[in-house]
Amino acid sequence: MTISGDAQLATLLERDKVRKDVSAIIDLIDGVLAAADGDTRTDWIDLIAPSPSDELTSALLALRDERKGLFKEAKDDFDPAERVAALRTYLAAKGVDGFIVPRADEHQGENVPARAERLAWLTGFTGSAGAAVVLGDKAAVFIDGRYTIQVRQQVNRDLFEYRHLVDEPVVGWLHDNLKTGQKMAYDPWLHTVQQAAHLRSACEGVGAELVAIDTNPIDALWHAQPAMPLGPVRPHPIEYAGKSTADKRVQIADALSRISCDSAILSAPDSIAWLLNIRGADVPQTPLALGYAIINGDASVELFIDDRKVAPETVNWLKGEATLRAPGELSAALKAMGNQSVRLDEATASDWLRMQLSTAGATVRVGRDPIALPKACKNDVELEGSRKAHKRDGEKIIRYFKWLDEAAADGSIDERVAADKLLSLRAEDPLFRDSSFETIPGSGPNGALCHYRNTPESNRNLTPGEIFLIDSGGQYVDGTTDITRTTVIGDPSQEHRDRFTRVLKGHIALARAIFPVGTTGQQLDTLARMPLWEVGLDFDHGTGHGVGSYLGVHEGPQRISKAANKIALKPGMILSNEPGFYKEGEYGIRIENLIAVTEIDGPVGADRKMLGFETLTFSPIERKLIDPELMNADELQWLNDYHAQVYALYADDLDEDHLEWLQKATAPIKKKRA
């Protein structure tokens, strides 16, 4: 702000009895801008003043917009060659020969704050997974199969060679390119204990050394780096959480006792959110408050979080439940745990945490987060909340597809418009907070990329005769949704119908599965693939992932996949059921509902407890793409029963036009021949 603007704001702050100076307000707003939807949201104002005057509110919003403009200007100076050269100069001055830049934050989150987009700052690559390694005379960027086209569009090949993150991993490149005696630097905050161990082994295998560096070089060079995010932290009421923080703390303390641990470091923000019944806004599409917590054997909790983002109501909410401490106090707290046995989460705990505890003399035990399994098993209130969220979400999906049928018939609608329309419908719900992930609107060949991301360069129209796949979801206060539907603009080919029906048969087989207690998702995965396997086809992604309760749309530890997984499915777990088929360069097909594991009455004569799935998602499955001649009687019965449920669920909620469309979309399907 200008000097006069500073003075005016200071006067307004004083008049409203706000005990913060202008400099502190600017720092807070910069943190808000660095958080999810920070450039548009207004719910941060009560972090400054619980009941601000209209004049103060206007001044704060004006200041936000002014600061937003400064950040925008700072993004326009990207010169990758200059940045790589600056990094090499910095590394040489520090006496190291290279540096590893993962696309990761300190919590290994799927969605990271703007401040953690270090890989994008250095290389220009904006994908959701990747890494780069820079040596004095060469560099490489590592991406997975989703981004083989995008990396070529965004990253200068003269500066970085392209490598596959899985097939040609970082450790292999280090083995091939490091020389004896060289020092490879890494930021221990950004690598898990296991990741650091693999890197160390790769370096030592060629006589090099892995060196932990105190200051991340990118942070030192990134002069316009966004601030640490300061999204408001709010209580998650018991009416949605279903279980008190006190009860959860005792539950986890008991779990620690069973594994002979004195305490656990909680490095996964969703575990902290679940334990303390809070939600935040630090990262896009997942309501997380970034921070750390320590839970002790006596059920006490210390929460290390920037108190500037903790709303006054949340401070009261946490009284008696957790001790609030500044993030800078974490190191001292870890060093005071020298005589303890401490659990670190194998998936999210940084190597920095291990280093601090080991230096203090603590016994470090790396394993599964003790909160992961209790969080995965939703209680009755969370399950009912999910049912309600899915019902409201399904009504938006019905309205959406009626609109799409009418608007896209002439080929004038593109993927971006199609995705934005669905978001606008969901946003009408007062309990809607955000998408649960970036919508995947794959038209024609774009649908063949199972994790396609729409960009201005890739955007294409929905063309008659082509398949359109849209994978989307919502974050509602009472539940998280994730649904994929595949339709066709105009008329499908027989190949379209054959492949779609086989995917549907696999979906139905999993939905109808009955299995004994102790069964894992890996054991059920085959059910969804058999109809495709019968004709020599398959799909390369997992069949199902866990889903949180107004938390992450991808949540472990359970999953349904070919990959080894020893986690047995338990009642209350929510998973996706999403088999698919993808023909490169032509189309993609996926049918996804969310399902909840539930106890069922076993068949007559059963000698063990049995489980099954409750379907949570209710939305029509495209009838034009179904070939009933490929389906057996049980499959057709399931489909017709499902569609009857969809119609009954929404019959009283829709106007006449939408109800007429739904009636046609859910009409029973029969074989043409007996």
Side-chain angles (χ1 to χ4, degrees), residues 284-298:
Q285 299 164 341
T286 310
L288 301 179
L290 300 184
Y292 292 89
I294 299 173
I295 181 166
N296 301 300
D298 62 0

mmCIF file with all atom_site columns, all heavy atoms in Angstrom, residues 284-298:
data_model
loop_
_atom_site.group_PDB
_atom_site.id
_atom_site.type_symbol
_atom_site.label_atom_id
_atom_site.label_alt_id
_atom_site.label_comp_id
_atom_site.label_asym_id
_atom_site.label_entity_id
_atom_site.label_seq_id
_atom_site.pdbx_PDB_ins_code
_atom_site.Cartn_x
_atom_site.Cartn_y
_atom_site.Cartn_z
_atom_site.occupancy
_atom_site.B_iso_or_equiv
_atom_site.pdbx_formal_charge
_atom_site.auth_seq_id
_atom_site.auth_comp_id
_atom_site.auth_asym_id
_atom_site.auth_atom_id
_atom_site.pdbx_PDB_model_num
ATOM 1   N N   . PRO A 1 284 ? -5.298  -26.657 -2.380 1.00 0.00 ? 284 PRO A N   1
ATOM 2   C CA  . PRO A 1 284 ? -6.506  -26.786 -3.197 1.00 0.00 ? 284 PRO A CA  1
ATOM 3   C C   . PRO A 1 284 ? -7.182  -28.144 -3.015 1.00 0.00 ? 284 PRO A C   1
ATOM 4   O O   . PRO A 1 284 ? -6.517  -29.169 -2.868 1.00 0.00 ? 284 PRO A O   1
ATOM 5   C CB  . PRO A 1 284 ? -5.979  -26.631 -4.636 1.00 0.00 ? 284 PRO A CB  1
ATOM 6   C CG  . PRO A 1 284 ? -4.623  -26.028 -4.504 1.00 0.00 ? 284 PRO A CG  1
ATOM 7   C CD  . PRO A 1 284 ? -4.083  -26.485 -3.193 1.00 0.00 ? 284 PRO A CD  1
ATOM 8   N N   . GLN A 1 285 ? -8.494  -28.143 -2.992 1.00 0.00 ? 285 GLN A N   1
ATOM 9   C CA  . GLN A 1 285 ? -9.338  -29.322 -3.174 1.00 0.00 ? 285 GLN A CA  1
ATOM 10  C C   . GLN A 1 285 ? -9.302  -30.345 -2.040 1.00 0.00 ? 285 GLN A C   1
ATOM 11  O O   . GLN A 1 285 ? -9.978  -31.356 -2.103 1.00 0.00 ? 285 GLN A O   1
ATOM 12  C CB  . GLN A 1 285 ? -8.976  -30.004 -4.508 1.00 0.00 ? 285 GLN A CB  1
ATOM 13  C CG  . GLN A 1 285 ? -9.218  -29.072 -5.682 1.00 0.00 ? 285 GLN A CG  1
ATOM 14  C CD  . GLN A 1 285 ? -8.558  -29.491 -6.966 1.00 0.00 ? 285 GLN A CD  1
ATOM 15  O OE1 . GLN A 1 285 ? -7.627  -30.276 -6.975 1.00 0.00 ? 285 GLN A OE1 1
ATOM 16  N NE2 . GLN A 1 285 ? -9.034  -28.955 -8.077 1.00 0.00 ? 285 GLN A NE2 1
ATOM 17  N N   . THR A 1 286 ? -8.542  -30.079 -0.992 1.00 0.00 ? 286 THR A N   1
ATOM 18  C CA  . THR A 1 286 ? -8.568  -30.917 0.203  1.00 0.00 ? 286 THR A CA  1
ATOM 19  C C   . THR A 1 286 ? -8.493  -30.000 1.413  1.00 0.00 ? 286 THR A C   1
ATOM 20  O O   . THR A 1 286 ? -7.570  -29.192 1.502  1.00 0.00 ? 286 THR A O   1
ATOM 21  C CB  . THR A 1 286 ? -7.384  -31.903 0.231  1.00 0.00 ? 286 THR A CB  1
ATOM 22  O OG1 . THR A 1 286 ? -7.306  -32.595 -1.023 1.00 0.00 ? 286 THR A OG1 1
ATOM 23  C CG2 . THR A 1 286 ? -7.559  -32.925 1.330  1.00 0.00 ? 286 THR A CG2 1
ATOM 24  N N   . PRO A 1 287 ? -9.445  -30.097 2.357  1.00 0.00 ? 287 PRO A N   1
ATOM 25  C CA  . PRO A 1 287 ? -9.537  -29.105 3.451  1.00 0.00 ? 287 PRO A CA  1
ATOM 26  C C   . PRO A 1 287 ? -8.530  -29.350 4.575  1.00 0.00 ? 287 PRO A C   1
ATOM 27  O O   . PRO A 1 287 ? -8.889  -29.730 5.688  1.00 0.00 ? 287 PRO A O   1
ATOM 28  C CB  . PRO A 1 287 ? -10.976 -29.274 3.936  1.00 0.00 ? 287 PRO A CB  1
ATOM 29  C CG  . PRO A 1 287 ? -11.299 -30.707 3.663  1.00 0.00 ? 287 PRO A CG  1
ATOM 30  C CD  . PRO A 1 287 ? -10.578 -31.040 2.381  1.00 0.00 ? 287 PRO A CD  1
ATOM 31  N N   . LEU A 1 288 ? -7.266  -29.107 4.274  1.00 0.00 ? 288 LEU A N   1
ATOM 32  C CA  . LEU A 1 288 ? -6.197  -29.406 5.209  1.00 0.00 ? 288 LEU A CA  1
ATOM 33  C C   . LEU A 1 288 ? -5.600  -28.141 5.808  1.00 0.00 ? 288 LEU A C   1
ATOM 34  O O   . LEU A 1 288 ? -5.466  -27.127 5.131  1.00 0.00 ? 288 LEU A O   1
ATOM 35  C CB  . LEU A 1 288 ? -5.083  -30.188 4.514  1.00 0.00 ? 288 LEU A CB  1
ATOM 36  C CG  . LEU A 1 288 ? -5.472  -31.527 3.890  1.00 0.00 ? 288 LEU A CG  1
ATOM 37  C CD1 . LEU A 1 288 ? -4.266  -32.152 3.221  1.00 0.00 ? 288 LEU A CD1 1
ATOM 38  C CD2 . LEU A 1 288 ? -6.059  -32.467 4.933  1.00 0.00 ? 288 LEU A CD2 1
ATOM 39  N N   . ALA A 1 289 ? -5.209  -28.243 7.077  1.00 0.00 ? 289 ALA A N   1
ATOM 40  C CA  . ALA A 1 289 ? -4.420  -27.215 7.742  1.00 0.00 ? 289 ALA A CA  1
ATOM 41  C C   . ALA A 1 289 ? -3.018  -27.793 7.915  1.00 0.00 ? 289 ALA A C   1
ATOM 42  O O   . ALA A 1 289 ? -2.824  -28.756 8.665  1.00 0.00 ? 289 ALA A O   1
ATOM 43  C CB  . ALA A 1 289 ? -5.026  -26.865 9.095  1.00 0.00 ? 289 ALA A CB  1
ATOM 44  N N   . LEU A 1 290 ? -2.044  -27.251 7.218  1.00 0.00 ? 290 LEU A N   1
ATOM 45  C CA  . LEU A 1 290 ? -0.698  -27.797 7.276  1.00 0.00 ? 290 LEU A CA  1
ATOM 46  C C   . LEU A 1 290 ? -0.079  -27.533 8.642  1.00 0.00 ? 290 LEU A C   1
ATOM 47  O O   . LEU A 1 290 ? -0.149  -26.426 9.168  1.00 0.00 ? 290 LEU A O   1
ATOM 48  C CB  . LEU A 1 290 ? 0.168   -27.192 6.175  1.00 0.00 ? 290 LEU A CB  1
ATOM 49  C CG  . LEU A 1 290 ? -0.321  -27.422 4.742  1.00 0.00 ? 290 LEU A CG  1
ATOM 50  C CD1 . LEU A 1 290 ? 0.679   -26.848 3.746  1.00 0.00 ? 290 LEU A CD1 1
ATOM 51  C CD2 . LEU A 1 290 ? -0.573  -28.900 4.470  1.00 0.00 ? 290 LEU A CD2 1
ATOM 52  N N   . GLY A 1 291 ? 0.527   -28.553 9.189  1.00 0.00 ? 291 GLY A N   1
ATOM 53  C CA  . GLY A 1 291 ? 1.158   -28.456 10.499 1.00 0.00 ? 291 GLY A CA  1
ATOM 54  C C   . GLY A 1 291 ? 1.595   -29.834 10.951 1.00 0.00 ? 291 GLY A C   1
ATOM 55  O O   . GLY A 1 291 ? 1.505   -30.815 10.195 1.00 0.00 ? 291 GLY A O   1
ATOM 56  N N   . TYR A 1 292 ? 2.077   -29.918 12.161 1.00 0.00 ? 292 TYR A N   1
ATOM 57  C CA  . TYR A 1 292 ? 2.501   -31.187 12.757 1.00 0.00 ? 292 TYR A CA  1
ATOM 58  C C   . TYR A 1 292 ? 1.847   -31.330 14.122 1.00 0.00 ? 292 TYR A C   1
ATOM 59  O O   . TYR A 1 292 ? 1.430   -30.342 14.738 1.00 0.00 ? 292 TYR A O   1
ATOM 60  C CB  . TYR A 1 292 ? 4.025   -31.233 12.923 1.00 0.00 ? 292 TYR A CB  1
ATOM 61  C CG  . TYR A 1 292 ? 4.776   -31.291 11.621 1.00 0.00 ? 292 TYR A CG  1
ATOM 62  C CD1 . TYR A 1 292 ? 5.152   -30.116 10.967 1.00 0.00 ? 292 TYR A CD1 1
ATOM 63  C CD2 . TYR A 1 292 ? 5.103   -32.503 11.029 1.00 0.00 ? 292 TYR A CD2 1
ATOM 64  C CE1 . TYR A 1 292 ? 5.838   -30.154 9.761  1.00 0.00 ? 292 TYR A CE1 1
ATOM 65  C CE2 . TYR A 1 292 ? 5.784   -32.557 9.830  1.00 0.00 ? 292 TYR A CE2 1
ATOM 66  C CZ  . TYR A 1 292 ? 6.147   -31.383 9.198  1.00 0.00 ? 292 TYR A CZ  1
ATOM 67  O OH  . TYR A 1 292 ? 6.821   -31.428 8.005  1.00 0.00 ? 292 TYR A OH  1
ATOM 68  N N   . ALA A 1 293 ? 1.764   -32.563 14.578 1.00 0.00 ? 293 ALA A N   1
ATOM 69  C CA  . ALA A 1 293 ? 1.251   -32.802 15.927 1.00 0.00 ? 293 ALA A CA  1
ATOM 70  C C   . ALA A 1 293 ? 2.011   -33.959 16.548 1.00 0.00 ? 293 ALA A C   1
ATOM 71  O O   . ALA A 1 293 ? 2.560   -34.821 15.847 1.00 0.00 ? 293 ALA A O   1
ATOM 72  C CB  . ALA A 1 293 ? -0.247  -33.099 15.907 1.00 0.00 ? 293 ALA A CB  1
ATOM 73  N N   . ILE A 1 294 ? 2.060   -33.963 17.849 1.00 0.00 ? 294 ILE A N   1
ATOM 74  C CA  . ILE A 1 294 ? 2.600   -35.085 18.618 1.00 0.00 ? 294 ILE A CA  1
ATOM 75  C C   . ILE A 1 294 ? 1.483   -35.579 19.524 1.00 0.00 ? 294 ILE A C   1
ATOM 76  O O   . ILE A 1 294 ? 0.872   -34.797 20.258 1.00 0.00 ? 294 ILE A O   1
ATOM 77  C CB  . ILE A 1 294 ? 3.806   -34.662 19.479 1.00 0.00 ? 294 ILE A CB  1
ATOM 78  C CG1 . ILE A 1 294 ? 4.948   -34.150 18.607 1.00 0.00 ? 294 ILE A CG1 1
ATOM 79  C CG2 . ILE A 1 294 ? 4.282   -35.834 20.344 1.00 0.00 ? 294 ILE A CG2 1
ATOM 80  C CD1 . ILE A 1 294 ? 6.114   -33.565 19.396 1.00 0.00 ? 294 ILE A CD1 1
ATOM 81  N N   . ILE A 1 295 ? 1.194   -36.866 19.437 1.00 0.00 ? 295 ILE A N   1
ATOM 82  C CA  . ILE A 1 295 ? 0.245   -37.465 20.380 1.00 0.00 ? 295 ILE A CA  1
ATOM 83  C C   . ILE A 1 295 ? 1.026   -38.430 21.262 1.00 0.00 ? 295 ILE A C   1
ATOM 84  O O   . ILE A 1 295 ? 1.827   -39.239 20.785 1.00 0.00 ? 295 ILE A O   1
ATOM 85  C CB  . ILE A 1 295 ? -0.927  -38.175 19.672 1.00 0.00 ? 295 ILE A CB  1
ATOM 86  C CG1 . ILE A 1 295 ? -1.879  -38.757 20.728 1.00 0.00 ? 295 ILE A CG1 1
ATOM 87  C CG2 . ILE A 1 295 ? -0.468  -39.214 18.657 1.00 0.00 ? 295 ILE A CG2 1
ATOM 88  C CD1 . ILE A 1 295 ? -3.227  -39.191 20.191 1.00 0.00 ? 295 ILE A CD1 1
ATOM 89  N N   . ASN A 1 296 ? 0.796   -38.294 22.541 1.00 0.00 ? 296 ASN A N   1
ATOM 90  C CA  . ASN A 1 296 ? 1.531   -39.069 23.536 1.00 0.00 ? 296 ASN A CA  1
ATOM 91  C C   . ASN A 1 296 ? 0.692   -40.213 24.089 1.00 0.00 ? 296 ASN A C   1
ATOM 92  O O   . ASN A 1 296 ? -0.534  -40.270 23.883 1.00 0.00 ? 296 ASN A O   1
ATOM 93  C CB  . ASN A 1 296 ? 1.972   -38.146 24.676 1.00 0.00 ? 296 ASN A CB  1
ATOM 94  C CG  . ASN A 1 296 ? 2.859   -37.022 24.173 1.00 0.00 ? 296 ASN A CG  1
ATOM 95  O OD1 . ASN A 1 296 ? 3.922   -37.257 23.601 1.00 0.00 ? 296 ASN A OD1 1
ATOM 96  N ND2 . ASN A 1 296 ? 2.412   -35.773 24.358 1.00 0.00 ? 296 ASN A ND2 1
ATOM 97  N N   . GLY A 1 297 ? 1.355   -41.097 24.805 1.00 0.00 ? 297 GLY A N   1
ATOM 98  C CA  . GLY A 1 297 ? 0.682   -42.264 25.357 1.00 0.00 ? 297 GLY A CA  1
ATOM 99  C C   . GLY A 1 297 ? -0.405  -41.935 26.352 1.00 0.00 ? 297 GLY A C   1
ATOM 100 O O   . GLY A 1 297 ? -1.295  -42.757 26.600 1.00 0.00 ? 297 GLY A O   1
ATOM 101 N N   . ASP A 1 298 ? -0.356  -40.729 26.948 1.00 0.00 ? 298 ASP A N   1
ATOM 102 C CA  . ASP A 1 298 ? -1.412  -40.333 27.878 1.00 0.00 ? 298 ASP A CA  1
ATOM 103 C C   . ASP A 1 298 ? -2.556  -39.615 27.162 1.00 0.00 ? 298 ASP A C   1
ATOM 104 O O   . ASP A 1 298 ? -3.414  -39.014 27.808 1.00 0.00 ? 298 ASP A O   1
ATOM 105 C CB  . ASP A 1 298 ? -0.841  -39.442 28.985 1.00 0.00 ? 298 ASP A CB  1
ATOM 106 C CG  . ASP A 1 298 ? -0.243  -38.141 28.449 1.00 0.00 ? 298 ASP A CG  1
ATOM 107 O OD1 . ASP A 1 298 ? -0.268  -37.916 27.224 1.00 0.00 ? 298 ASP A OD1 1
ATOM 108 O OD2 . ASP A 1 298 ? 0.262   -37.339 29.275 1.00 0.00 ? 298 ASP A OD2 1
#
